[in-house]
Amino acid sequence: MSIRVLVADDQEIVRTGLAMILDAQPDIEVIGQAADGRRAVELARRLRPDVCLFDIRMPGLDGIAATRALAGPTVDDPLAIVVITTFDLDEYVYAALRAGARGFLLKDAGAALLSQAVHAAANGDALIAPSITARLLSAFAAAGPTSSPAQPIETLTEREEQVLATVARGRTNSEIGDELHISLSTVKSHIASLMAKLGARNRVEIAMWAYETNRVRN
């Protein structure tokens, strides 16, 4: 079954290029395109794509507001959204992650990484390229809210701390299993426990919390 994707970018050449790259994949189908955030939200609610790929800077309703509308804290059935940006230190990416995006991608990432990000999003897996995870998340954490990070409702176990660190470095579930010598089901169980203890909605929020609490060093 194909992964159904909605692409939103106000630049036609970028939007068309992203759609062409994704449609060239045997198991990905672009089911809609939008040139602004309002249209993107409208299409997403009607088509219910498996993954939304949103540019951050769009007219009318930007990518952050569109993400919040489709995946924010008050949304009962959030969609999987990956935001894309030109700059790897774009201050808006942090806000987009806070708004409910599961991850981000740079526009110059290339076809292979774009396809990988879409597959990861569809699987609920890591969406942040490991090569830029540490630098970006630490930068966004430093520039983020001044309030203290929320404390876990229950103390993390030693193993959960280990899993937390690997998630923060952008590792996939299978990579975490290999690194810590535990089964895939055990990895998933630890991540579910971390989400519950931290009040996180996805693994990106787990990673952000790790950086905000200085648990991961570059």
Side-chain angles (χ1 to χ4, degrees):
M1 180 179 286
S2 293
I3 300 170
R4 302 161 63 253
V5 179
L6 171 67
V7 176
D9 194 299
D10 63 325
Q11 293 181 289
E12 184 177 3
I13 190 168
V14 173
R15 188 171 67 247
T16 303
L18 291 170
M20 287 177 63
I21 290 171
L22 293 174
D23 271 331
Q25 303 299 316
D27 57 352
I28 297 177
E29 177 189 5
V30 176
I31 60 170
Q33 298 184 40
D36 64 76
R38 284 194 174 85
R39 178 64 173 160
V41 171
E42 175 191 324
L43 283 175
R45 285 175 172 162
R46 178 159 55 87
L47 301 175
R48 300 296 299 179
D50 299 310
V51 179
C52 296
L53 192 62
F54 287 175
D55 183 22
I56 284 183
R57 293 168 175 164
M58 292 188 288
L61 197 69
D62 65 22
I64 296 170
T67 296
R68 190 177 296 112
L70 297 169
T74 61
V75 179
D76 291 332
D77 190 15
L79 291 173
I81 298 176
V82 178
V83 294
I84 53 176
T85 181
T86 304
F87 307 105
D88 61 358
L89 288 180
D90 191 325
E91 68 275 15
Y92 293 118
V93 177
Y94 188 90
L97 294 177
R98 284 288 183 209
R102 294 189 189 176
F104 57 82
L105 195 65
L106 303 182
K107 287 187 179 179
D108 63 358
L113 193 55
L114 178 63
S115 172
Q116 182 183 337
V118 168
H119 281 94
N123 294 331
D125 212 337
L127 303 182
I128 305 172
S131 62
I132 56 176
T133 298
R135 183 166 53 80
L136 258 69
L137 275 180
S138 57
F140 293 138
T146 54
S147 58
S148 299
Q151 293 302 305
I153 60 173
E154 189 179 332
T155 303
L156 304 187
T157 65
E158 182 179 352
R159 179 62 89 184
E160 286 169 349
E161 290 279 5
Q162 293 171 342
V163 172
L164 175 73
T166 56
V167 169
R169 294 189 186 100
R171 303 290 192 266
T172 64
N173 285 354
S174 58
E175 289 170 341
I176 294 171
D178 290 342
E179 186 172 328
L180 299 181
H181 307 293
I182 55 179
S183 69
L184 196 59
S185 61
T186 301
V187 173
K188 292 179 179 178
S189 176
H190 284 311
I191 289 176
S193 179
L194 282 168
M195 288 172 64
K197 288 185 177 182
L198 303 178
R201 290 171 296 167
N202 52 58
R203 62 196 301 133
V204 173
E205 291 190 355
I206 291 174
M208 291 171 70
W209 186 87
Y211 279 91
E212 290 174 341
T213 55
N214 297 314
R215 278 170 160 77
V216 181
R217 303 293 181 184
N218 290 343

